[in-house]
Amino acid sequence: HDRALEHYYEAKSLQEKLLGKLHPYTLATTSNIASAFKDLEDFTMSEVMYRLVLDRYVLARGKEHNVTKFCAKHLNMLLESTGKMEEKAILELDYPESGLRTT
């Protein structure tokens, strides 16, 4: 995963320069970085990256876009798994669907 993170950061840097910070490819790479940190159990960095990508999805696609909601759901699950229930509740005020689990 450490090597994957290295490659993701390189890709993100290039994408930001060539495509911009709000381009869908750049946002997807940023989301992958958040997931990689979660897999490495670096929940602090995972949260930072999920919040960054969520903010950028809101700017790029709007709050109601499915991809934005999907990102909010991943952040919500991270907050729940790390016991940050107050922050989870705040997120759910902005993104009510983020608290819903799919089967």
Side-chain angles (χ1 to χ4, degrees):
H1 283 97
D2 287 332
R3 297 255 313 135
L5 270 173
E6 211 175 290
H7 292 294
Y8 279 138
Y9 272 110
E10 289 173 15
K12 180 178 169 287
S13 178
L14 286 172
Q15 289 167 335
E16 285 179 347
K17 287 177 189 170
L18 298 173
L19 304 172
K21 292 180 179 183
L22 302 180
H23 190 279
Y25 292 162
T26 309
L27 294 172
T29 301
T30 307
S31 183
N32 289 339
I33 292 170
S35 293
F37 275 122
K38 185 177 178 193
D39 290 345
L40 290 169
E41 298 184 2
D42 187 339
F43 302 121
T44 300
M45 281 304 299
S46 182
E47 181 181 344
V48 166
M49 297 308 291
Y50 274 129
R51 288 187 185 279
L52 173 67
V53 76
L54 179 59
D55 289 345
R56 289 183 179 174
Y57 271 125
V58 169
L59 290 172
R61 302 276 177 112
K63 203 171 170 180
E64 295 302 316
H65 194 278
N66 286 339
V67 174
T68 305
K69 291 177 182 180
F70 184 76
C71 185
K73 185 173 188 153
H74 278 276
L75 176 57
N76 186 304
M77 289 187 295
L78 177 70
L79 294 172
E80 182 176 6
S81 69
T82 56
K84 295 185 173 184
M85 302 313 283
E86 188 174 317
E87 291 180 46
K88 178 183 184 304
I90 293 168
L91 179 69
E92 288 177 356
L93 291 174
D94 285 335
Y95 302 92
E97 295 95 358
S98 71
L100 301 177
R101 299 223 179 237
T102 58
T103 54

XYZ file of all heavy atoms in Angstrom:
835
model
N 0.807 -1.199 0.000
C 0.000 0.000 0.000
C 0.852 1.267 0.000
O 0.418 2.285 -0.530
C -0.959 0.001 1.180
C -2.134 -0.891 0.978
N -2.189 -2.166 1.483
C -3.291 -0.701 0.320
C -3.348 -2.700 1.158
N -4.032 -1.843 0.447
N 2.012 1.199 0.632
C 2.872 2.384 0.648
C 3.289 2.778 -0.765
O 3.287 3.954 -1.111
C 4.122 2.147 1.511
C 3.803 2.133 2.996
O 2.826 2.784 3.400
O 4.535 1.468 3.746
N 3.627 1.782 -1.586
C 4.009 2.057 -2.982
C 2.812 2.577 -3.760
O 2.946 3.444 -4.602
C 4.588 0.807 -3.650
C 5.850 0.309 -3.023
C 7.135 0.556 -3.736
N 7.145 0.239 -5.145
C 7.671 1.065 -6.042
N 8.201 2.193 -5.662
N 7.684 0.751 -7.306
N 1.659 2.020 -3.466
C 0.441 2.483 -4.137
C 0.197 3.952 -3.810
O -0.116 4.751 -4.701
C -0.753 1.642 -3.720
N 0.369 4.314 -2.543
C 0.201 5.715 -2.149
C 1.169 6.620 -2.891
O 0.789 7.701 -3.348
C 0.399 5.872 -0.637
C -0.837 5.717 0.214
C -0.472 5.726 1.688
C -1.847 6.798 -0.088
N 2.398 6.168 -3.006
C 3.410 6.924 -3.736
C 2.947 7.195 -5.170
O 3.011 8.320 -5.656
C 4.707 6.090 -3.756
C 5.978 6.876 -3.765
C 7.161 5.916 -3.659
O 7.361 5.311 -2.588
O 7.862 5.793 -4.679
N 2.457 6.156 -5.823
C 1.985 6.286 -7.206
C 0.736 7.160 -7.289
O 0.598 7.960 -8.221
C 1.729 4.912 -7.819
C 2.974 4.118 -8.024
N 3.961 4.492 -8.917
C 3.401 2.975 -7.445
C 4.941 3.607 -8.878
N 4.623 2.675 -7.990
N -0.163 6.996 -6.338
C -1.368 7.832 -6.319
C -1.008 9.311 -6.180
O -1.582 10.168 -6.851
C -2.307 7.430 -5.177
C -3.175 6.235 -5.460
C -3.365 5.264 -4.485
C -3.827 6.063 -6.679
C -4.180 4.160 -4.709
C -4.640 4.964 -6.915
C -4.812 4.019 -5.935
O -5.619 2.937 -6.157
N -0.068 9.617 -5.274
C 0.329 11.013 -5.089
C 1.000 11.572 -6.337
O 0.780 12.737 -6.698
C 1.241 11.176 -3.862
C 0.474 11.406 -2.582
C 0.416 10.444 -1.594
C -0.186 12.606 -2.361
C -0.284 10.650 -0.419
C -0.887 12.833 -1.192
C -0.936 11.856 -0.223
O -1.639 12.080 0.934
N 1.807 10.767 -7.000
C 2.426 11.213 -8.258
C 1.351 11.487 -9.309
O 1.388 12.511 -9.999
C 3.408 10.159 -8.778
C 4.673 10.045 -7.970
C 5.548 8.873 -8.406
O 5.326 8.316 -9.504
O 6.458 8.504 -7.634
N 0.403 10.574 -9.421
C -0.683 10.739 -10.390
C -1.519 11.974 -10.059
O -1.861 12.770 -10.948
C -1.567 9.503 -10.416
N -1.830 12.147 -8.782
C -2.635 13.295 -8.346
C -1.926 14.600 -8.677
O -2.550 15.550 -9.176
C -2.919 13.201 -6.848
C -3.750 14.334 -6.282
C -3.994 14.097 -4.797
C -4.568 15.278 -4.088
N -3.631 16.372 -3.877
N -0.652 14.654 -8.436
C 0.119 15.865 -8.732
C 0.075 16.191 -10.230
O -0.164 17.345 -10.615
C 1.562 15.685 -8.263
O 2.325 16.815 -8.578
N 0.298 15.188 -11.049
C 0.242 15.398 -12.502
C -1.159 15.779 -12.955
O -1.328 16.688 -13.786
C 0.699 14.140 -13.236
C 2.194 13.855 -13.217
C 2.476 12.474 -13.806
C 2.946 14.926 -13.990
N -2.156 15.100 -12.437
C -3.533 15.401 -12.813
C -3.920 16.829 -12.427
O -4.584 17.525 -13.193
C -4.493 14.397 -12.181
C -4.380 13.024 -12.793
C -5.088 11.963 -11.991
O -5.284 12.090 -10.781
N -5.467 10.879 -12.666
N -3.506 17.254 -11.234
C -3.817 18.621 -10.812
C -3.191 19.644 -11.753
O -3.821 20.640 -12.098
C -3.366 18.863 -9.373
C -4.257 18.200 -8.354
C -3.814 18.405 -6.926
O -2.671 18.871 -6.693
O -4.602 18.087 -6.013
N -1.952 19.377 -12.183
C -1.265 20.297 -13.095
C -1.903 20.305 -14.476
O -2.079 21.365 -15.079
C 0.210 19.929 -13.219
C 1.020 20.262 -11.999
C 2.456 19.807 -12.166
C 3.213 19.943 -10.853
N 4.520 19.309 -10.911
N -2.225 19.115 -14.996
C -2.705 19.009 -16.374
C -4.222 19.184 -16.509
O -4.688 19.746 -17.500
C -2.303 17.652 -16.963
C -0.804 17.392 -17.064
C -0.543 15.953 -17.499
C -0.159 18.370 -18.045
N -4.969 18.689 -15.535
C -6.427 18.668 -15.657
C -7.140 19.612 -14.692
O -8.272 19.999 -14.943
C -6.940 17.242 -15.413
C -6.346 16.142 -16.294
C -6.802 14.770 -15.796
C -6.740 16.364 -17.742
N -6.477 19.913 -13.585
C -7.086 20.762 -12.565
C -7.537 19.947 -11.360
O -7.723 18.732 -11.444
N -7.691 20.634 -10.246
C -8.041 19.968 -8.985
C -9.461 19.423 -8.958
O -9.770 18.543 -8.168
C -7.855 20.939 -7.812
C -6.421 21.289 -7.553
C -6.266 22.236 -6.388
C -4.795 22.534 -6.164
N -4.587 23.389 -4.999
N -10.335 19.951 -9.817
C -11.736 19.544 -9.789
C -12.113 18.583 -10.914
O -13.280 18.243 -11.082
C -12.642 20.786 -9.840
C -12.443 21.799 -8.715
C -13.398 22.965 -8.879
C -12.604 21.159 -7.347
N -11.124 18.137 -11.669
C -11.396 17.192 -12.761
C -11.782 15.834 -12.165
O -11.237 15.420 -11.137
C -10.156 17.056 -13.647
C -10.413 16.302 -14.903
N -10.442 14.924 -14.950
C -10.676 16.740 -16.164
C -10.703 14.543 -16.183
N -10.855 15.623 -16.944
N -12.719 15.127 -12.802
C -13.150 13.825 -12.271
C -12.015 12.828 -12.041
O -12.039 12.086 -11.049
C -14.122 13.307 -13.339
C -14.630 14.534 -14.014
C -13.501 15.529 -13.975
N -11.017 12.796 -12.919
C -9.895 11.863 -12.717
C -9.088 12.231 -11.476
O -8.670 11.356 -10.717
C -8.973 11.839 -13.929
C -9.547 11.236 -15.183
C -8.970 11.473 -16.413
C -10.682 10.430 -15.155
C -9.487 10.927 -17.585
C -11.205 9.880 -16.308
C -10.611 10.124 -17.517
O -11.124 9.585 -18.668
N -8.867 13.530 -11.297
C -8.120 13.992 -10.121
C -8.889 13.659 -8.847
O -8.305 13.189 -7.860
C -7.862 15.508 -10.208
O -7.293 15.830 -11.474
C -6.939 15.977 -9.099
N -10.186 13.867 -8.879
C -11.013 13.577 -7.709
C -11.037 12.079 -7.409
O -10.960 11.675 -6.243
C -12.434 14.102 -7.924
C -12.545 15.624 -8.016
C -13.954 16.030 -8.424
C -12.146 16.290 -6.715
N -11.105 11.268 -8.439
C -11.091 9.814 -8.234
C -9.768 9.365 -7.616
O -9.745 8.518 -6.720
C -11.337 9.096 -9.557
N -8.675 9.940 -8.075
C -7.367 9.596 -7.508
C -7.281 10.025 -6.053
O -6.772 9.272 -5.204
C -6.235 10.237 -8.337
O -6.323 9.764 -9.686
C -4.867 9.921 -7.759
N -7.797 11.196 -5.733
C -7.798 11.668 -4.349
C -8.628 10.743 -3.468
O -8.228 10.410 -2.346
C -8.323 13.113 -4.272
O -7.576 13.931 -5.176
C -8.181 13.684 -2.867
N -9.751 10.282 -3.992
C -10.578 9.326 -3.262
C -9.838 8.004 -3.050
O -9.915 7.402 -1.974
C -11.881 9.091 -4.026
O -12.725 8.235 -3.308
N -9.090 7.576 -4.050
C -8.293 6.350 -3.915
C -7.216 6.503 -2.844
O -6.903 5.547 -2.135
C -7.657 5.980 -5.251
C -8.669 5.472 -6.253
O -9.753 5.027 -5.882
N -8.329 5.549 -7.517
N -6.656 7.692 -2.722
C -5.669 7.958 -1.672
C -6.334 7.813 -0.298
O -5.776 7.188 0.612
C -5.029 9.350 -1.843
C -4.153 9.375 -3.100
C -4.225 9.747 -0.605
C -3.669 10.759 -3.503
N -7.527 8.370 -0.156
C -8.256 8.254 1.112
C -8.507 6.788 1.451
O -8.312 6.364 2.596
C -9.575 9.019 1.028
N -8.908 6.010 0.458
C -9.157 4.578 0.676
C -7.878 3.828 1.043
O -7.898 2.943 1.907
C -9.759 3.952 -0.585
O -11.034 4.465 -0.828
N -6.782 4.182 0.395
C -5.505 3.530 0.701
C -5.080 3.814 2.139
O -4.614 2.907 2.839
C -4.423 3.984 -0.284
N -5.252 5.061 2.579
C -4.923 5.385 3.973
C -5.814 4.585 4.927
O -5.349 4.116 5.968
C -5.073 6.879 4.250
C -3.860 7.694 3.892
C -3.945 8.736 2.980
C -2.617 7.438 4.467
C -2.836 9.489 2.651
C -1.492 8.188 4.161
C -1.608 9.222 3.240
N -7.079 4.431 4.565
C -7.979 3.639 5.415
C -7.491 2.197 5.487
O -7.463 1.594 6.563
C -9.408 3.699 4.878
C -10.401 3.002 5.770
C -11.811 3.129 5.248
C -12.762 2.374 6.158
N -14.077 2.211 5.551
N -7.096 1.631 4.351
C -6.580 0.257 4.330
C -5.326 0.111 5.184
O -5.090 -0.944 5.772
C -6.279 -0.185 2.899
C -7.541 -0.382 2.069
O -8.643 -0.465 2.656
O -7.415 -0.424 0.831
N -4.532 1.178 5.232
C -3.313 1.174 6.054
C -3.606 1.489 7.522
O -2.690 1.553 8.340
C -2.305 2.194 5.510
C -1.661 1.853 4.180
C -0.890 3.056 3.632
C -0.734 0.660 4.331
N -4.888 1.705 7.822
C -5.347 2.056 9.166
C -4.785 3.393 9.648
O -4.637 3.622 10.847
C -5.092 0.929 10.159
C -5.835 -0.338 9.796
C -5.687 -1.456 10.797
O -5.021 -1.273 11.844
O -6.245 -2.533 10.537
N -4.500 4.279 8.699
C -4.137 5.655 9.031
C -5.421 6.473 8.872
O -5.658 7.133 7.861
C -3.034 6.181 8.105
C -2.521 7.546 8.529
O -3.244 8.268 9.268
O -1.413 7.916 8.105
N -6.262 6.366 9.897
C -7.594 6.938 9.822
C -7.589 8.460 9.822
O -8.481 9.079 9.244
C -8.462 6.387 10.951
C -8.559 4.880 10.912
C -8.138 4.116 11.983
C -9.054 4.230 9.784
C -8.220 2.731 11.947
C -9.141 2.843 9.734
C -8.722 2.097 10.817
N -6.583 9.054 10.427
C -6.480 10.513 10.423
C -6.266 11.023 9.003
O -6.979 11.929 8.547
C -5.331 10.979 11.346
O -5.606 10.524 12.677
C -5.192 12.489 11.329
N -5.302 10.442 8.297
C -5.039 10.881 6.919
C -6.195 10.503 5.997
O -6.523 11.255 5.069
C -3.730 10.295 6.398
C -2.507 11.027 6.908
S -2.510 12.810 6.539
C -2.551 12.824 4.755
N -6.811 9.365 6.247
C -7.965 8.975 5.445
C -9.083 10.006 5.580
O -9.669 10.438 4.584
C -8.460 7.595 5.879
O -9.550 7.199 5.087
N -9.356 10.420 6.796
C -10.389 11.434 7.020
C -10.029 12.748 6.335
O -10.876 13.377 5.695
C -10.607 11.655 8.517
C -11.689 12.670 8.805
C -11.916 12.927 10.284
O -11.469 12.119 11.137
O -12.562 13.953 10.591
N -8.783 13.166 6.461
C -8.333 14.409 5.816
C -8.587 14.338 4.308
O -9.127 15.276 3.702
C -6.837 14.683 6.111
C -6.276 15.763 5.199
C -6.640 15.051 7.574
N -8.217 13.223 3.700
C -8.362 13.085 2.252
C -9.828 12.964 1.845
O -10.234 13.543 0.836
C -7.543 11.904 1.742
C -6.041 12.057 1.956
S -5.337 13.605 1.325
C -5.498 13.358 -0.430
N -10.630 12.232 2.612
C -12.059 12.149 2.290
C -12.723 13.518 2.399
O -13.567 13.869 1.571
C -12.789 11.147 3.190
C -12.740 9.727 2.700
C -12.341 8.695 3.542
C -13.103 9.393 1.394
C -12.303 7.382 3.103
C -13.063 8.076 0.948
C -12.655 7.081 1.805
O -12.620 5.777 1.367
N -12.351 14.287 3.411
C -12.932 15.629 3.544
C -12.496 16.533 2.381
O -13.304 17.310 1.857
C -12.563 16.253 4.887
C -13.298 15.611 6.052
C -13.048 16.340 7.367
N -13.658 15.664 8.480
C -14.945 15.757 8.825
N -15.762 16.497 8.090
N -15.409 15.114 9.874
N -11.244 16.437 1.991
C -10.746 17.220 0.860
C -11.510 16.875 -0.412
O -12.000 17.758 -1.120
C -9.247 16.970 0.661
C -8.617 17.597 -0.580
C -8.616 19.109 -0.485
C -7.211 17.061 -0.783
N -11.625 15.592 -0.702
C -12.293 15.184 -1.940
C -13.789 15.501 -1.880
O -14.378 15.901 -2.892
C -12.001 13.713 -2.291
C -12.777 12.750 -1.443
C -12.261 13.454 -3.768
N -14.405 15.390 -0.729
C -15.818 15.740 -0.597
C -16.025 17.223 -0.898
O -16.921 17.591 -1.670
C -16.347 15.390 0.793
C -17.811 15.733 1.061
C -18.736 15.018 0.077
C -18.180 15.380 2.500
N -15.195 18.073 -0.320
C -15.293 19.514 -0.590
C -15.132 19.811 -2.080
O -15.842 20.646 -2.641
C -14.233 20.287 0.200
C -14.519 20.337 1.692
O -15.661 20.032 2.102
O -13.585 20.675 2.452
N -14.203 19.118 -2.711
C -13.959 19.352 -4.135
C -15.092 18.797 -5.004
O -15.423 19.396 -6.025
C -12.604 18.788 -4.539
C -11.470 19.619 -3.953
C -10.127 19.137 -4.389
N -9.080 19.982 -3.829
C -7.795 19.730 -3.949
N -7.388 18.658 -4.616
N -6.910 20.539 -3.406
N -15.672 17.669 -4.601
C -16.829 17.157 -5.341
C -17.994 18.131 -5.258
O -18.714 18.343 -6.232
C -17.268 15.781 -4.829
C -16.582 14.616 -5.501
C -15.916 13.652 -4.752
C -16.618 14.463 -6.887
C -15.301 12.572 -5.368
C -15.990 13.389 -7.508
C -15.341 12.451 -6.741
O -14.726 11.389 -7.359
N -18.187 18.738 -4.092
C -19.262 19.726 -3.941
C -19.028 20.890 -4.910
O -19.953 21.338 -5.596
C -19.366 20.223 -2.480
C -20.287 21.424 -2.385
C -19.853 19.100 -1.569
N -17.799 21.360 -4.991
C -17.480 22.457 -5.913
C -17.649 22.039 -7.371
O -18.164 22.806 -8.186
C -16.043 22.941 -5.692
C -15.763 23.685 -4.405
C -14.261 23.928 -4.248
C -16.512 25.010 -4.384
N -17.212 20.836 -7.704
C -17.209 20.389 -9.097
C -18.577 19.893 -9.570
O -18.968 20.161 -10.714
C -16.171 19.280 -9.287
N -19.268 19.165 -8.710
C -20.488 18.483 -9.148
C -21.750 18.936 -8.419
O -22.843 18.638 -8.856
C -20.332 16.971 -8.935
C -19.174 16.328 -9.644
C -19.569 16.002 -11.061
N -18.481 15.440 -11.822
C -18.442 14.187 -12.241
N -19.399 13.361 -11.937
N -17.423 13.774 -12.970
N -21.564 19.565 -7.276
C -22.722 19.950 -6.473
C -23.013 18.919 -5.397
O -22.601 17.763 -5.482
N -23.724 19.378 -4.416
C -24.007 18.567 -3.235
C -24.948 17.400 -3.527
O -24.911 16.379 -2.847
C -24.627 19.484 -2.183
C -24.494 19.033 -0.793
C -24.942 20.144 0.127
C -25.056 19.642 1.518
N -25.481 20.680 2.438
N -25.790 17.530 -4.523
C -26.801 16.518 -4.810
C -26.336 15.449 -5.798
O -27.066 14.498 -6.064
C -28.086 17.181 -5.323
C -28.763 18.057 -4.283
C -29.121 17.293 -3.013
O -29.648 16.165 -3.119
O -28.898 17.829 -1.916
N -25.145 15.602 -6.346
C -24.649 14.631 -7.326
C -24.375 13.293 -6.648
O -23.926 13.233 -5.499
C -23.376 15.163 -7.989
C -22.997 14.416 -9.224
N -22.313 13.229 -9.182
C -23.229 14.679 -10.527
C -22.125 12.790 -10.414
N -22.684 13.652 -11.249
N -24.639 12.208 -7.359
C -24.454 10.867 -6.791
C -23.025 10.600 -6.338
O -22.812 9.946 -5.312
C -24.893 9.794 -7.796
C -26.392 9.705 -7.916
O -27.118 10.136 -7.029
N -26.862 9.152 -9.015
N -22.049 11.087 -7.078
C -20.649 10.862 -6.695
C -20.325 11.601 -5.396
O -19.618 11.083 -4.538
C -19.692 11.275 -7.835
C -18.254 11.180 -7.401
C -19.935 10.430 -9.065
N -20.874 12.803 -5.238
C -20.677 13.560 -3.994
C -21.291 12.807 -2.823
O -20.664 12.661 -1.764
C -21.308 14.960 -4.119
O -20.784 15.618 -5.278
C -21.023 15.799 -2.888
N -22.493 12.305 -3.017
C -23.167 11.541 -1.956
C -22.400 10.261 -1.620
O -22.303 9.874 -0.459
C -24.594 11.201 -2.383
C -25.501 12.417 -2.445
C -26.877 12.006 -2.940
C -27.803 13.178 -3.073
N -29.134 12.763 -3.563
N -21.861 9.620 -2.645
C -21.071 8.404 -2.448
C -19.842 8.699 -1.587
O -19.511 7.946 -0.669
C -20.665 7.843 -3.816
C -19.929 6.546 -3.769
C -20.596 5.361 -3.514
C -18.564 6.501 -4.011
C -19.912 4.148 -3.484
C -17.879 5.304 -3.982
C -18.555 4.129 -3.719
N -19.181 9.816 -1.866
C -18.005 10.223 -1.087
C -18.406 10.527 0.358
O -17.714 10.129 1.300
C -17.352 11.435 -1.750
S -15.824 11.936 -0.956
N -19.530 11.211 0.534
C -20.018 11.520 1.887
C -20.299 10.237 2.659
O -20.019 10.142 3.858
C -21.273 12.389 1.811
N -20.818 9.236 1.962
C -21.108 7.958 2.610
C -19.826 7.286 3.100
O -19.777 6.742 4.206
C -21.855 7.048 1.645
C -22.299 5.758 2.262
C -23.181 4.996 1.302
C -23.751 3.807 2.023
N -25.008 3.393 1.473
N -18.769 7.336 2.290
C -17.497 6.745 2.714
C -16.921 7.479 3.925
O -16.406 6.838 4.853
C -16.497 6.753 1.555
C -16.701 5.616 0.617
N -16.169 4.363 0.832
C -17.410 5.536 -0.528
C -16.533 3.565 -0.137
N -17.298 4.250 -0.984
N -17.012 8.794 3.922
C -16.549 9.559 5.080
C -17.394 9.204 6.293
O -16.860 9.012 7.393
C -16.608 11.061 4.789
C -16.243 11.981 5.950
C -14.840 11.694 6.492
C -16.369 13.443 5.516
N -18.686 9.089 6.113
C -19.577 8.733 7.207
C -19.190 7.391 7.821
O -19.121 7.245 9.042
C -21.024 8.701 6.695
C -22.020 8.477 7.809
O -21.932 7.505 8.548
N -22.976 9.372 7.901
N -18.932 6.399 6.971
C -18.549 5.067 7.467
C -17.221 5.126 8.226
O -17.054 4.450 9.243
C -18.479 4.067 6.320
C -19.842 3.717 5.759
S -19.851 2.384 4.527
C -18.929 3.107 3.184
N -16.289 5.939 7.728
C -15.011 6.098 8.423
C -15.221 6.723 9.799
O -14.661 6.259 10.798
C -14.047 6.950 7.583
C -12.708 7.244 8.248
C -11.864 5.982 8.342
C -11.969 8.338 7.490
N -16.022 7.776 9.850
C -16.288 8.437 11.128
C -16.949 7.471 12.115
O -16.592 7.441 13.291
C -17.162 9.675 10.914
C -16.508 10.813 10.129
C -17.536 11.892 9.804
C -15.315 11.397 10.868
N -17.876 6.682 11.618
C -18.536 5.703 12.490
C -17.543 4.659 13.002
O -17.524 4.335 14.191
C -19.670 5.015 11.735
C -20.428 4.031 12.588
C -21.613 3.412 11.871
O -21.800 3.643 10.664
O -22.356 2.678 12.550
N -16.714 4.151 12.109
C -15.773 3.094 12.508
C -14.696 3.590 13.468
O -14.110 2.793 14.195
C -15.128 2.455 11.273
O -14.251 3.349 10.639
N -14.462 4.891 13.478
C -13.460 5.453 14.388
C -14.098 6.093 15.621
O -13.412 6.733 16.417
C -12.560 6.480 13.655
O -13.367 7.498 13.072
C -11.716 5.799 12.595
N -15.413 5.910 15.753
C -16.097 6.393 16.951
C -16.337 7.890 17.003
O -16.631 8.426 18.069
N -16.258 8.558 15.893
C -16.469 10.014 15.856
C -17.948 10.298 15.574
O -18.320 10.842 14.538
C -15.563 10.652 14.808
C -14.093 10.523 15.146
C -13.240 11.264 14.140
C -11.785 11.266 14.583
N -10.965 12.055 13.665
N -18.768 9.933 16.523
C -20.211 9.985 16.327
C -20.745 11.416 16.226
O -21.706 11.657 15.497
C -20.917 9.220 17.451
C -20.465 7.750 17.544
S -20.433 6.879 15.956
C -22.162 6.572 15.729
N -20.146 12.355 16.925
C -20.597 13.748 16.835
C -20.325 14.301 15.431
O -21.187 14.939 14.832
C -19.902 14.600 17.898
C -20.454 16.005 17.991
C -19.857 16.791 19.139
O -19.713 16.229 20.248
O -19.538 17.973 18.919
N -19.138 14.032 14.902
C -18.805 14.476 13.549
C -19.664 13.768 12.517
O -20.069 14.358 11.513
C -17.325 14.255 13.265
C -16.423 15.167 14.081
C -14.957 14.942 13.805
O -14.593 14.855 12.616
O -14.193 14.860 14.782
N -19.967 12.492 12.771
C -20.843 11.720 11.894
C -22.230 12.363 11.853
O -22.821 12.520 10.780
C -20.930 10.278 12.399
C -21.835 9.369 11.606
C -21.874 7.984 12.269
C -22.666 6.961 11.524
N -24.032 7.282 11.223
N -22.747 12.750 13.005
C -24.069 13.382 13.081
C -24.084 14.712 12.326
O -25.062 15.023 11.631
C -24.466 13.589 14.542
N -23.007 15.466 12.430
C -22.910 16.740 11.712
C -22.902 16.500 10.205
O -23.596 17.185 9.447
C -21.664 17.532 12.169
C -21.833 17.981 13.617
C -21.393 18.720 11.241
C -20.572 18.509 14.268
N -22.134 15.509 9.761
C -22.090 15.171 8.339
C -23.475 14.755 7.847
O -23.897 15.147 6.754
C -21.080 14.047 8.092
C -20.938 13.579 6.644
C -20.279 14.668 5.801
C -20.134 12.300 6.574
N -24.197 13.999 8.656
C -25.515 13.531 8.258
C -26.532 14.663 8.163
O -27.539 14.529 7.464
C -25.999 12.434 9.197
C -25.244 11.143 8.984
C -25.634 10.043 9.948
O -26.455 10.273 10.859
O -25.095 8.931 9.794
N -26.288 15.785 8.837
C -27.163 16.940 8.671
C -27.036 17.497 7.251
O -28.024 17.913 6.646
C -26.827 18.035 9.695
C -27.163 17.729 11.145
C -26.637 18.836 12.057
C -28.667 17.541 11.325
N -25.832 17.509 6.720
C -25.591 17.999 5.360
C -25.900 16.950 4.304
O -26.286 17.282 3.179
C -24.135 18.453 5.196
C -23.857 19.782 5.865
O -24.808 20.579 6.033
O -22.694 20.025 6.218
N -25.672 15.689 4.636
C -25.852 14.576 3.694
C -26.645 13.466 4.374
O -26.078 12.468 4.813
C -24.493 14.032 3.239
C -23.619 15.069 2.596
C -22.713 15.801 3.348
C -23.738 15.344 1.237
C -21.925 16.779 2.755
C -22.949 16.324 0.640
C -22.052 17.035 1.417
O -21.272 18.000 0.831
N -27.976 13.634 4.482
C -28.775 12.635 5.198
C -28.612 11.212 4.665
O -28.622 10.258 5.440
C -30.217 13.129 5.002
C -30.091 14.568 4.664
C -28.769 14.734 3.979
N -28.435 11.062 3.347
C -28.302 9.730 2.765
C -26.989 9.058 3.144
O -26.845 7.849 2.987
C -28.380 9.773 1.235
C -29.729 10.234 0.718
C -29.749 11.718 0.411
O -28.736 12.415 0.638
O -30.790 12.192 -0.058
N -26.017 9.829 3.633
C -24.708 9.238 3.937
C -24.778 8.241 5.087
O -23.928 7.376 5.202
C -23.679 10.320 4.251
O -23.947 10.932 5.506
N -25.798 8.334 5.896
C -25.944 7.418 7.026
C -26.675 6.133 6.678
O -26.725 5.215 7.470
N -27.221 6.093 5.472
C -27.954 4.903 5.062
C -26.998 3.843 4.580
O -26.081 4.097 3.814
C -28.944 5.243 3.938
C -29.984 6.300 4.271
C -30.838 6.581 3.041
C -30.869 5.857 5.420
N -27.217 2.639 5.007
C -26.383 1.524 4.583
C -27.078 0.787 3.452
O -28.293 0.628 3.470
C -26.150 0.567 5.744
C -25.435 1.226 6.888
C -24.392 0.287 7.405
N -23.701 0.951 8.484
C -22.403 1.126 8.466
N -21.679 0.705 7.483
N -21.804 1.715 9.468
N -26.284 0.358 2.494
C -26.845 -0.473 1.425
C -26.498 -1.913 1.711
O -25.492 -2.210 2.337
C -26.291 -0.067 0.049
O -24.871 -0.173 0.070
C -26.696 1.338 -0.307
N -27.331 -2.814 1.272
C -27.064 -4.232 1.503
C -26.609 -4.899 0.239
O -26.673 -4.395 -0.809
C -28.333 -4.944 2.029
O -29.392 -4.699 1.123
C -28.674 -4.467 3.418
